Amino acid sequence: MTISSRLRKRIRHDFTESGDATEAIRLVQRQTDDERLQAAIVFSAGGDIGRLHDAIELADIDWRDALVVGGLDGDDWTARLDKELGPA
């Protein structure tokens, strides 16, 4: 699965502990190739690798709940992605 360059950049910005960004990228791209869901997982983790694992577990249970927690459940989700990550 793939991960967009803009989301990869955001992960590197958010996950600053040694090795966490690489691990986060690996985990997120293994979860899904949908940028919206990937971003929701990253946003809800807030740069914490433990919270990232929790967000992935939630997405496994119900991806819609992961969108809600990540703030990408509304009709304006594309605008929010562009605001948070930059234009596609």
Side-chain angles (χ1 to χ4, degrees), residues 44-59:
S44 64
D48 181 279
I49 201 74
R51 287 177 50 194
L52 182 75
H53 284 281
D54 293 342
I56 289 170
E57 185 176 322
L58 177 62

Side-chain angles (χ1 to χ4, degrees), residues 9-86:
K9 182 179 177 182
R10 172 63 180 262
I11 291 170
R12 287 192 178 114
H13 176 268
D14 287 359
F15 291 85
T16 58
E17 293 295 317
S18 177
D20 281 0
T22 301
E23 177 70 1
I25 290 168
R26 185 184 68 76
L27 291 169
V28 170
Q29 72 184 15
R30 188 174 68 180
Q31 178 67 25
T32 180
D33 62 356
D34 178 69
E35 185 184 39
R36 180 184 183 190
L37 183 53
Q38 289 175 339
I41 290 167
V42 170
F43 295 167
S44 64
D48 181 279
I49 201 74
R51 287 177 50 194
L52 182 75
H53 284 281
D54 293 342
I56 289 170
E57 185 176 322
L58 177 62
D60 283 340
I61 294 167
D62 191 331
W63 59 270
R64 295 164 297 195
D65 288 342
L67 292 179
V68 171
V69 173
L72 295 176
D73 58 315
D75 291 337
D76 64 341
W77 69 269
T78 56
R80 172 117 195 267
L81 272 184
D82 287 347
K83 179 182 176 195
E84 293 289 332
L85 303 178

